[in-house]
Amino acid sequence: MDQSNTPPDHRSPPDGAGRRVYEHLRTQIADGTLGPGAALPSTRALAADMGVSRTTVTTAYEQLSAEGFIVTSGGRVACVASPLAAHPAPRPARRARKAPPLSEFGRRVAAIEMPAAVPADAGHVDFLYGAVAFRDFPVLAWRRAYQAQLLRHQERLCYAPPEGDADLRRALRGYLARARGLRCDAEQIVVVHGSQQAIDLCARLLLDPGDRFVFEDPGYLMARRSFEAAGGRAVPVPVDAHGLVTSALADDRPARLAYVTPSHQFPLGGVLPIARRRELLQWATRHEAWVVEDDYDGEFRYGQRPVDALQSIDQDGRVLYVGTFSKALSPQLRLGYLVLPADLVPVFRQAKRLADRHAPLLEQRVLAALIDSGAYERHVRRVRRENERRRAALLEAVARHLPAQAHVGGTAAGLHVVLWLPWLAPADEPAIAAGARRKKVGLHPLSPLFAHGDADPRPRGAGFILGYASLDADAIDRGVRLLAAAIRAHASG
Amino acid sequence: MDQSNTPPDHRSPPDGAGRRVYEHLRTQIADGTLGPGAALPSTRALAADMGVSRTTVTTAYEQLSAEGFIVTSGGRVACVASPLAAHPAPRPARRARKAPPLSEFGRRVAAIEMPAAVPADAGHVDFLYGAVAFRDFPVLAWRRAYQAQLLRHQERLCYAPPEGDADLRRALRGYLARARGLRCDAEQIVVVHGSQQAIDLCARLLLDPGDRFVFEDPGYLMARRSFEAAGGRAVPVPVDAHGLVTSALADDRPARLAYVTPSHQFPLGGVLPIARRRELLQWATRHEAWVVEDDYDGEFRYGQRPVDALQSIDQDGRVLYVGTFSKALSPQLRLGYLVLPADLVPVFRQAKRLADRHAPLLEQRVLAALIDSGAYERHVRRVRRENERRRAALLEAVARHLPAQAHVGGTAAGLHVVLWLPWLAPADEPAIAAGARRKKVGLHPLSPLFAHGDADPRPRGAGFILGYASLDADAIDRGVRLLAAAIRAHASG
C-alpha cells in the first residue's frame, strides 16, 4: 500500500524552530492579533500546532518574557504584557493594480443606493419598523425546545434537505391552514433565511434583466431593490386605503411578476378586498405573470380573524406565498418560508441548495416542536394582544399630543401605522425626522417608499411610518409627545 | 383625528357565525389539517381568532361532537375523533393553464443535474464526505454560550448588520491570524450562511453569463454548479498530487476567476506548493482575474502546522478567502465567512443584505464568545486529534483488508482520503458502490468530480472518496472490510 502525501512521523524541530515560534508570536503581538493581556496558548498546544517540541516553545516564551513582551508567573498561562503599542502595525496596501471587473449583477448592486441602517442610540424611542420587543421573545419556551433538539441524537451531522426539515414543513402546513386559510402540501414549502431570501430567490428565478415587475407605490423598498438588482424594471401601480389599485394594472405594459402585500399593504396598511384579489389573479393569468404575495405580518390582525391569504383563492398556481418568523419571534432568527405552486418546487429546491444548501437544522426543529406543541400559536396570540395594547397606546398618544388634522392610517392589522400630517409637505419629512432625532426619537419618513420619493405627483401631506412592536406604552407616549414638539419646532423654525 | 381602517369594536357574531366556525373545523378535519387525536383550540382562543363569541364556538363544538367528528369530555380540551378517513381530501389541481417562464438563471438551475442527496440508512457505515460525528459537537460549551447570549439584553430585536456581528468579525480576525497566517482587518470579513453562500455570492458578483472560470479537475462539484448556474463556462485545469497544475493555466483562454482549494485539494488532497501559489497569483494579475480560495478544512492538517492561506501572500488584492464552521463544528449550522480584498467589501455587504439581510445574530454571538474564551481553538485541537485517530484507523484498515495494489492519497490534511484501485476502471465505480450499499456501506465514486466523468481521458484507476470524520474506529474497520468484500464480489461477478 502506497500512502502518497503522508507526512513524516518524526517531529524533531527543524533548524531555527525556536526562532520561528518566537517570530510568530512577536508578529502577533506587534500587530495586535494578541492584544495586551491576551492569554498565550499553552506550551503544549502551541507545540502541537507548530509541529515543534514543547521545549522549543518554552525557550521562545522565555525569550519573549525576557524582552518584556509577555508576562509569565509560576505555572500560570503566559499573557501579553501591557501597555504595548496600542495600534496594530500598518498593513500592506490591498489595492489591486487594476481590479478585475464585477459582473453586471455586481455593478447593479454596487449602484443601488440604500440608506445605511442607522442603529438608534441607546435610550432613543425608535419607531423603527421591523423591530420587535426583546421581552416579547418566548425565551423560556425557546430555550427548553432548543436544549431538547440540541441533545437529540443524530447518526451523523450532515447536510439536511434544501427544502427544509420535513417536520417543520408538516407543522407549517397545519399552522398555515389553521391561521391563514392556506391550503398546501408540505411538499410545496421551502424553508428559507427570512422573507428577504424568499424574495431574492423569486427575483433570480423569475426575472430576467429588462423584465418588468409590478410594484406597489408606495411599497417595500428591500423587495424592490432585489428585483432591480436582478435587472427588473419597476412598474409602479398606485395604492389607496384598500391596497393595490388593481384597475390601474395596465394591459399594455406586460410584466413578468407582481409583488404585493394584500393582507396589510406595506406601508399604507390597506387590506385588499376580495374583488381586487380576483382582479389581480385574472391579470396574472392574462399576462402569464407570477404573483409574489408577501404576508409579512399576516398574523397581526385586530378585532377579527386574519384575512385568508391570496394564495388560498389561487386556482392557476400563480401565487408564490412568502411567510416569515421575523415579526412573531425575531428578525434576528432569519427564518421564513415559501409556499410554491407545485410546478416551481423542483427549481426552487435546487436554487436554495446552490444558494446556501439549507436553513440551519436545529432552529428548524425548534420551530417544528413549538408549532406541534401549540406553544407557537399561544405565543402569537399573546404577542397579538401585546401589540393591540401598543396600537391603542399609539392612537391615544396621537389624539393627545398631535393637532386634530393629524390622522393615522392602516390600523386594522400589522405592527405599524402611517401618521399623516396633511398640513405639511413630503419635502418637510427629513427636517422633522432630524429634529425628532435631536430629541432622541427615531422617525422614518414615508416618501422614500414612493417610486418618485417626495416628488411624487399625487397630492399628499407629509407622512411617517410608526412601528410600535418594540416599544412599551410609556415609550410610545413619550415618543409621540417629543415628535409633536419636533413638528411644532419645525413649523416655528 | 380620523382613524381610517379602524375595525368595528363590537364583536357580535354575524349571521351564521356558528355555521362558519363549524365549517371551518369540519374542513380541517376532513383534509387532515387536524388529524385524528389532534387537540382543538380552546373555545376562548378560537373565539378570539375568528371574531365570534365563545358561546358560538361552544355550539359549533357541540354540533361536531354530536356528529362524531370530535370528542369532548368534562372540562378537557376537545380532540378530533379517530379513526376518521386517514387520507386528506384531494386538492385542486395546481397546474397553471400556461405556466409563465422561468428566468435564464432559473432555466440553467433547472437543467443542472445534481445527484439527489441520498441519506444513508440507519446502521450503514457511510463514508460520506462532509459529515461529522454527532459526538464531536461541543454540546456543553455551545449550550452554555447559547444560553448566555439568549439572555443577553438587547434594547430591541432588529435587523443586524449585513456583514455580520462586529464581535465575531473581530474574534475571527484574531483566530485567522493565529491559525491560518491570514492577515486582515475585521472590516474585510463578511459572515455568510456557510461556504456555499460565499461561493454563490462570488458567482453572482464576479461572473457574467458566458465568462470562463478556472476549475480544478477533479474538483468540488457544488462550487462548479454555482458558477455554471451564474452562466459561467468551466475551464478544467488538471490536478496532480500537489494540487492544481499551474503550468497548465493557459494564457490564451482568459478567465474571470479561478476557484481553488490550495490547503487540501478537493478531492485528491494535494497541498499546493509555494511556487505554484505564486504562479497562480501571477496568472491572476496577468489576466485581471479573481482567485476564490476555498479553505474548507484548513484546520485539519496532521503532523505539522497547517499551511498558511494563499490569501496571506496575495499582494494585489485578488484573493477572496472562504472559510467555514461546517467541519470543525457542524454542517447543519450553516455558518461561514469571506475575507475580501478591501475594494470588494461594499458590494459584498450590499449583496448579502439583498440576499437575506444577515446571518442569524444569536449563533454569531455564540461563536464570538467561544473564540474569545479560547474554547473554540481547544475544541478544534480536540477534534483534530480525534480525526488523526480516525485517519490512522482508516489507513490500518486499508492495509489489513485491501489488496496491496490499493493505495490511499491526500492523507496529509482534511477529513477524507481518496482510495485508488488501479486494477479497476473508473467505469467500475457505480457497480462497486451499489455492491457496497447492499452490504450497508455508503461509498462515493470519484469520477463524477472529473470534468469528463468516467470518460476522463487520463489513465487512472477506479477511485472513491472516503470521508471518515463521522465514523468511529470500529465502524471504519467494518466499513473497509465490507468494502473489500464488495470489491471481491465485483471482480468475481
Side-chain angles (χ1 to χ4, degrees):
Chain A
M1 194 187 78
D2 165 37
Q3 295 172 20
S4 50
N5 295 324
T6 309
D9 254 1
H10 63 278
R11 298 192 186 182
S12 61
D15 189 38
R19 187 83 206 159
R20 192 154 55 80
V21 175
Y22 167 86
E23 301 244 303
H24 174 67
L25 292 166
R26 181 72 189 71
T27 310
Q28 296 200 339
I29 294 168
D31 71 10
T33 300
L34 286 168
L40 272 70
S42 72
T43 51
R44 186 206 310 261
L46 192 62
D49 265 355
M50 298 195 69
V52 299
S53 76
R54 216 168 146 187
T55 317
T56 305
V57 174
T58 306
T59 311
Y61 275 24
E62 281 165 5
Q63 177 73 15
L64 288 162
S65 177
E67 294 180 30
F69 288 106
I70 67 172
V71 182
T72 52
S73 78
R76 299 244 310 283
V77 172
C79 291
V80 177
S82 60
L84 288 167
H87 295 290
R91 312 189 169 290
R94 285 271 176 217
R95 288 198 65 80
R97 287 179 206 170
K98 184 177 171 190
L102 297 176
S103 69
E104 287 182 22
F105 171 78
R107 292 198 294 276
R108 285 194 299 266
V109 169
I112 287 174
E113 283 185 31
M114 280 200 291
V118 183
D121 303 320
H124 274 48
V125 177
D126 196 340
F127 289 105
L128 178 66
Y129 175 74
V132 303
F134 179 74
R135 71 179 177 84
D136 282 357
F137 189 83
V139 170
L140 294 180
W142 185 271
R143 185 168 61 178
R144 200 178 309 121
Y146 189 89
Q147 289 206 20
Q149 296 303 325
L150 188 62
L151 297 173
R152 180 172 155 191
H153 182 76
Q154 294 187 58
E155 184 113 356
R156 58 188 74 80
L157 300 176
C158 58
Y159 293 114
E163 65 270 20
D165 183 57
D167 286 345
L168 175 58
R169 290 183 292 110
R170 188 188 38 68
L172 270 174
R173 172 185 173 276
Y175 168 74
L176 289 169
R178 293 190 296 275
R180 308 295 297 116
L182 194 151
R183 306 275 143 185
C184 67
D185 287 324
E187 295 298 296
Q188 289 171 259
I189 298 176
V190 174
V191 181
V192 293
H193 283 119
S195 59
Q196 187 65 33
Q197 183 173 48
I199 291 165
D200 189 53
L201 287 172
C202 291
R204 296 176 80 176
L205 292 171
L206 307 178
L207 272 190
D208 278 316
D211 282 342
R212 290 197 180 88
F213 63 97
V214 162
F215 203 75
E216 296 167 336
D217 183 20
Y220 180 51
L221 213 53
M222 283 291 286
R224 177 174 177 158
R225 294 299 179 240
S226 273
F227 293 124
E228 287 175 341
R233 286 181 295 158
V235 177
V237 170
V239 160
D240 65 16
H242 303 288
L244 190 75
V245 180
T246 44
S247 60
L249 285 165
D251 271 344
D252 59 340
R253 300 176 71 191
R256 285 277 287 278
L257 71 78
Y259 169 86
V260 291
T261 51
S263 302
H264 185 229
Q265 201 276 330
F266 188 83
L268 298 192
V271 179
L272 202 67
I274 185 70
R276 291 196 187 178
R277 289 172 187 244
R278 295 219 174 91
E279 201 169 358
L280 175 62
L281 293 177
Q282 284 157 8
W283 169 88
T285 299
R286 212 157 55 237
H287 288 280
E288 289 174 28
W290 302 106
V291 177
V292 179
E293 172 182 27
D294 189 350
D295 193 24
Y296 63 103
D297 64 5
E299 302 91 344
F300 296 97
R301 186 158 172 89
Y302 309 113
Q304 60 199 84
R305 182 177 154 77
V307 176
D308 280 353
L310 178 64
Q311 192 267 9
S312 67
I313 58 162
D314 171 29
Q315 293 300 312
D316 290 346
R318 294 302 166 84
V319 174
L320 297 86
Y321 174 93
V322 177
T324 179
F325 293 100
S326 291
K327 304 299 182 286
L329 287 169
S330 165
Q332 299 173 349
L333 276 182
R334 312 309 311 126
L335 281 169
Y337 47 90
L338 278 156
V339 182
L340 297 163
D343 289 351
L344 289 180
V345 169
V347 74
F348 271 79
R349 287 183 178 185
Q350 183 99 304
K352 172 66 180 164
R353 192 172 167 205
L354 288 169
D356 54 22
R357 294 247 184 201
H358 61 80
L361 186 62
L362 200 52
E363 287 75 7
Q364 293 189 67
R365 290 181 161 182
V366 170
L367 282 171
L370 292 176
I371 296 174
D372 279 341
S373 72
Y376 180 70
E377 275 153 277
R378 282 196 301 277
H379 167 73
V380 168
R381 278 194 287 271
R382 186 175 70 75
V383 178
R384 193 189 293 142
R385 285 195 299 272
E386 286 290 333
N387 282 308
E388 200 157 2
R389 278 194 280 272
R390 291 179 180 122
R391 183 188 64 138
L394 180 61
L395 298 180
E396 262 177 52
V398 169
R400 187 179 309 132
H401 299 299
L402 283 171
Q405 310 98 290
H407 67 102
V408 173
T411 60
L415 303 173
H416 76 280
V417 297
V418 171
L419 173 67
W420 289 105
L421 308 173
W423 69 96
L424 293 171
D428 292 322
E429 292 167 7
I432 293 169
R437 197 170 175 86
R438 284 190 296 272
K439 293 180 191 296
K440 298 197 166 222
V441 174
L443 201 57
H444 305 275
L446 188 61
S447 288
L449 308 194
F450 280 85
H452 303 284
D454 63 10
D456 184 57
R458 283 166 280 174
R460 63 179 175 91
F464 294 94
I465 305 156
L466 301 186
Y468 51 78
S470 72
L471 302 171
D472 62 27
D474 283 355
I476 288 170
D477 188 73
R478 190 167 76 252
V480 174
R481 184 165 48 75
L482 292 167
L483 149 62
I487 293 170
R488 283 194 301 273
H490 176 74
S492 63
Chain B
M1 194 188 74
D2 164 37
Q3 294 173 20
S4 50
N5 294 327
T6 309
D9 254 1
H10 62 278
R11 296 192 187 183
S12 60
D15 189 37
R19 187 83 208 159
R20 193 153 55 82
V21 175
Y22 166 87
E23 301 244 304
H24 174 68
L25 292 167
R26 182 72 189 72
T27 310
Q28 296 200 339
I29 294 168
D31 71 8
T33 301
L34 287 168
L40 272 69
S42 71
T43 52
R44 187 206 310 261
L46 191 62
D49 266 355
M50 298 195 67
V52 300
S53 76
R54 217 168 145 186
T55 316
T56 305
V57 174
T58 306
T59 310
Y61 275 23
E62 281 165 5
Q63 176 74 12
L64 288 163
S65 177
E67 293 180 27
F69 288 106
I70 68 172
V71 182
T72 51
S73 78
R76 299 245 310 285
V77 172
C79 291
V80 177
S82 60
L84 288 167
H87 295 288
R91 313 191 166 290
R94 285 271 177 219
R95 287 200 65 81
R97 286 179 209 171
K98 185 179 169 187
L102 296 175
S103 68
E104 286 182 22
F105 171 79
R107 292 198 295 275
R108 284 193 299 266
V109 168
I112 287 174
E113 282 184 33
M114 280 200 291
V118 183
D121 303 319
H124 273 49
V125 177
D126 196 340
F127 288 104
L128 177 66
Y129 175 73
V132 302
F134 179 74
R135 71 177 177 84
D136 281 358
F137 189 84
V139 170
L140 293 179
W142 184 271
R143 185 168 62 178
R144 199 177 310 120
Y146 189 89
Q147 289 206 21
Q149 296 302 327
L150 188 62
L151 297 173
R152 179 172 155 190
H153 181 77
Q154 294 187 58
E155 183 113 356
R156 58 187 75 79
L157 300 177
C158 57
Y159 294 115
E163 66 270 21
D165 182 57
D167 286 345
L168 175 58
R169 289 183 292 109
R170 188 189 38 68
L172 270 175
R173 172 185 172 277
Y175 169 74
L176 289 169
R178 292 189 298 276
R180 308 295 297 117
L182 194 153
R183 307 274 142 184
C184 67
D185 288 324
E187 295 297 296
Q188 290 171 259
I189 298 175
V190 174
V191 181
V192 294
H193 284 118
S195 59
Q196 188 64 33
Q197 182 173 48
I199 292 165
D200 188 53
L201 287 172
C202 291
R204 296 176 80 176
L205 291 170
L206 306 178
L207 272 192
D208 279 315
D211 283 343
R212 289 198 181 87
F213 63 97
V214 162
F215 202 75
E216 295 168 336
D217 182 20
Y220 180 50
L221 212 55
M222 284 290 286
R224 179 175 176 158
R225 294 299 179 241
S226 273
F227 294 125
E228 286 176 341
R233 284 181 296 158
V235 178
V237 171
V239 161
D240 65 15
H242 303 287
L244 190 76
V245 180
T246 44
S247 60
L249 285 165
D251 272 344
D252 59 342
R253 299 175 72 191
R256 285 276 287 277
L257 70 79
Y259 169 86
V260 291
T261 51
S263 302
H264 184 228
Q265 201 275 330
F266 188 83
L268 298 191
V271 179
L272 202 67
I274 185 69
R276 291 197 188 179
R277 290 172 186 244
R278 294 219 174 91
E279 202 170 356
L280 175 61
L281 293 177
Q282 284 156 8
W283 170 88
T285 300
R286 212 157 56 238
H287 288 280
E288 289 174 26
W290 302 107
V291 177
V292 178
E293 173 183 25
D294 189 351
D295 193 23
Y296 64 103
D297 64 4
E299 302 92 342
F300 297 96
R301 187 159 172 85
Y302 310 112
Q304 60 199 87
R305 181 178 155 76
V307 177
D308 282 354
L310 179 64
Q311 192 268 8
S312 67
I313 58 162
D314 171 30
Q315 293 299 314
D316 290 346
R318 293 301 165 84
V319 175
L320 297 85
Y321 174 92
V322 177
T324 179
F325 293 100
S326 292
K327 303 300 181 287
L329 287 169
S330 167
Q332 299 174 348
L333 276 182
R334 311 312 309 129
L335 282 169
Y337 47 89
L338 278 157
V339 182
L340 297 163
D343 289 350
L344 289 181
V345 169
V347 74
F348 271 79
R349 287 184 177 184
Q350 183 99 304
K352 173 66 180 162
R353 192 172 167 203
L354 288 170
D356 54 20
R357 293 243 183 206
H358 61 80
L361 186 62
L362 199 53
E363 287 75 7
Q364 293 189 67
R365 289 181 162 183
V366 170
L367 282 171
L370 292 176
I371 296 174
D372 279 342
S373 72
Y376 180 71
E377 275 152 278
R378 280 195 302 278
H379 167 74
V380 168
R381 277 194 289 270
R382 187 176 68 77
V383 178
R384 194 188 292 141
R385 283 193 302 272
E386 286 290 335
N387 282 307
E388 201 158 1
R389 277 194 281 271
R390 293 180 179 120
R391 182 187 65 138
L394 179 62
L395 297 181
E396 263 177 52
V398 169
R400 186 177 310 133
H401 301 299
L402 283 170
Q405 311 98 289
H407 68 101
V408 173
T411 59
L415 304 174
H416 75 281
V417 298
V418 171
L419 173 67
W420 290 104
L421 308 172
W423 69 96
L424 293 171
D428 292 322
E429 293 167 5
I432 293 170
R437 198 171 174 86
R438 283 191 297 272
K439 294 180 189 296
K440 300 197 164 222
V441 173
L443 202 57
H444 306 275
L446 188 62
S447 287
L449 308 193
F450 280 86
H452 303 283
D454 63 10
D456 184 55
R458 284 166 281 176
R460 62 179 176 91
F464 294 93
I465 305 156
L466 301 186
Y468 50 78
S470 72
L471 302 171
D472 62 28
D474 283 354
I476 289 170
D477 189 73
R478 191 168 74 252
V480 173
R481 185 166 46 77
L482 292 167
L483 149 61
I487 293 170
R488 284 193 300 273
H490 175 74
S492 63

